[in-house]
Amino acid sequence: MSTGPAFKRLPRAVRQQQMLDSAVRIFSRRGYHGASMDEIAEVAGISKPMVYAYLGTKEELFVACLHREGTRMMEAIAGAADPDLPADERLWRGLRAFFGFVGAHRDGWAVLYRQARAEQPFARELTVMRARLVEVAAGMLDHALRAEGREVAHTELEVVAYALVGASESLADWLADHPEADPEKTATQMMNVAWLGAGQLLRGVTWHPPQG
Amino acid sequence: MSTGPAFKRLPRAVRQQQMLDSAVRIFSRRGYHGASMDEIAEVAGISKPMVYAYLGTKEELFVACLHREGTRMMEAIAGAADPDLPADERLWRGLRAFFGFVGAHRDGWAVLYRQARAEQPFARELTVMRARLVEVAAGMLDHALRAEGREVAHTELEVVAYALVGASESLADWLADHPEADPEKTATQMMNVAWLGAGQLLRGVTWHPPQG
DNA sequence: GCGTAACCTTACGCACGAGTAGGTATGCTT
DNA sequence: AAGCATACCTACTCGTGCGTAAGGTTACGC
């Protein structure tokens, strides 16, 4: 039989991307432990040893996924954030980029957020990325504060930023589970909660617990 | 040798609790898959077949943990929420109870939030619990709205509630990772973000995206 | 045209951990 | 004191899935 080779030979770079695509998909569906290297290889249209040859062990493969998806996300957000814009516009663009990314890469988001979080070995990677997001948000708040001549302790700012990031992640999560949802609209709703709350804080309005 | 039995014979109910305590601890540290039934049994001071005899398979054991911790948490929150209080006081008490619980049961929180979320089979359980939290939050907002004679579409309300719950979870997560942090203070900070933002919404203030 | 390197495969070893079979000891009841 | 239920154990089976050894095939340089 000369039907030719069943599988085409492709250059390394291309195969690597195929493998990563496949891995992200399987990891997001089955979870880190639930995913088998065999299935990842199969979906990538390649056999298992190739995966080991190109991307290393399962753990290394997962880190590679994490890295690629994380980088893509950070770039998407960074690309939208122009430091010269007024604070609300800047926040708006950042949020829109964020939700846009999640809407377009639901699998990547699931790997990044749900999986990496649960597994000890990868928690650190995720923490670093999240810390950067918090830093960005805190920086924005700080900038806006100074513009109004006000000042707040950095720790306070960070907690607020942390809450905002958390709320965004939560809505992103919801978005990932609802394919019919519109990222743009989700971003607007997040903006409503975030900006109005933050705006109050910026004006020096605070809430205090009742005495007791 | 008549040193007596190395391990005391204990009634079923007591051993069950020991096993659950052990399981929650191990699951929170190693994750669902990373945890081995052998280790859980060892930490509980018992042998493996006993665990199977009392709590069933690994999956059933995990569900039992989820159930116990989830019930404890919901009770802690429900016990603090008095429907007759004004909205801000009610939110404050709920948040304080929530963060107080997380601070006192960091392991339980890790199992509930981080683990259950990542594993397909348990996602549903968690989703239900979360939906109840969102419902509670949305109900509070709705109540406050009506008191001011305003009205907002239920869907809108739910998304805001979702964001608030997400922000709280995020801060709770941060709390679980920082043993030195004060739950009370965390609750206050959450209250600041939540109530100020929500308060604006209640007054009919909204944010709109710039045209483009 | 022919070697060589890169691509790709089948087929296995091996460890680890879920779940069980079958047996022993202890205390409560009559 | 015999009997019976319950607490408890040691020591296995067996599936699953990571990681690899050893060998086949295609393209490209000369």
Side-chain angles (χ1 to χ4, degrees), chain B residues 86-153:
Chain B
D88 68 332
E89 178 101 17
R90 212 166 133 210
L91 181 59
W92 163 241
R93 298 215 180 174
L95 284 177
R96 203 168 52 164
F98 173 68
F99 285 104
F101 174 86
V102 173
H105 302 81
R106 286 164 215 254
D107 287 353
W109 174 251
V111 171
L112 278 177
Y113 182 62
R114 292 207 257 245
Q115 287 309 313
R117 176 132 265 223
E119 308 289 333
Q120 291 304 80
F122 313 116
R124 192 158 299 273
E125 307 257 347
L126 214 247
T127 303
V128 169
M129 215 181 68
R130 179 177 237 205
R132 263 161 69 199
L133 281 180
V134 170
E135 240 4 89
V136 170
M140 239 147 61
L141 292 176
D142 192 43
H143 192 263
L145 269 171
R146 286 178 197 286
E148 301 208 13
R150 299 188 46 81
E151 201 146 346
V152 170

Side-chain angles (χ1 to χ4, degrees), chain B residues 99-207:
Chain B
F99 285 104
F101 174 86
V102 173
H105 302 81
R106 286 164 215 254
D107 287 353
W109 174 251
V111 171
L112 278 177
Y113 182 62
R114 292 207 257 245
Q115 287 309 313
R117 176 132 265 223
E119 308 289 333
Q120 291 304 80
F122 313 116
R124 192 158 299 273
E125 307 257 347
L126 214 247
T127 303
V128 169
M129 215 181 68
R130 179 177 237 205
R132 263 161 69 199
L133 281 180
V134 170
E135 240 4 89
V136 170
M140 239 147 61
L141 292 176
D142 192 43
H143 192 263
L145 269 171
R146 286 178 197 286
E148 301 208 13
R150 299 188 46 81
E151 201 146 346
V152 170
H154 188 256
T155 328
E156 300 288 322
L157 223 59
E158 213 163 44
V159 174
V160 175
Y162 206 92
L164 292 185
V165 170
S168 300
E169 284 175 346
S170 178
L171 283 187
D173 215 32
W174 176 81
L175 184 65
D177 286 337
H178 293 79
E180 76 285 359
D182 177 24
E184 195 86 356
K185 197 174 169 197
T186 310
T188 308
Q189 284 164 323
M190 182 60 218
M191 190 68 193
N192 261 306
V193 182
W195 188 245
L196 295 178
Q200 288 283 78
L201 278 179
L202 294 183
R203 263 173 240 111
V205 183
T206 50
W207 180 92

Side-chain angles (χ1 to χ4, degrees), chain A residues 107-201:
Chain A
D107 288 352
W109 174 252
V111 171
L112 237 37
Y113 182 61
R114 291 206 257 246
Q115 286 310 312
R117 177 130 267 222
E119 308 288 333
Q120 292 305 80
F122 314 115
R124 191 160 300 273
E125 307 257 348
L126 213 247
T127 303
V128 169
M129 213 181 69
R130 180 176 236 207
R132 265 161 67 200
L133 280 180
V134 170
E135 239 3 90
V136 169
M140 240 147 61
L141 292 176
D142 192 42
H143 192 262
L145 271 170
R146 286 178 198 286
E148 301 208 13
R150 300 188 46 80
E151 202 148 344
V152 169
H154 188 257
T155 328
E156 301 287 323
L157 224 59
E158 213 163 44
V159 174
V160 175
Y162 205 93
L164 292 186
V165 171
S168 300
E169 284 176 345
S170 180
L171 282 187
D173 215 32
W174 175 83
L175 184 65
D177 286 336
H178 294 78
E180 76 285 0
D182 176 23
E184 195 85 358
K185 197 175 170 196
T186 310
T188 308
Q189 285 165 323
M190 182 60 217
M191 190 70 192
N192 261 306
V193 182
W195 187 246
L196 296 177
Q200 288 282 80
L201 279 178

Side-chain angles (χ1 to χ4, degrees), chain A residues 58-93:
Chain A
K58 187 181 187 182
E59 194 165 318
E60 288 167 343
L61 173 60
F62 189 79
V63 170
C65 291
L66 222 56
H67 208 262
R68 194 183 71 167
E69 298 303 312
T71 306
R72 281 182 176 173
M73 191 181 90
M74 291 310 251
E75 277 173 359
I77 296 175
D82 181 343
D84 295 332
L85 290 167
D88 68 332
E89 177 101 18
R90 213 168 132 208
L91 181 58
W92 164 241
R93 298 214 179 173

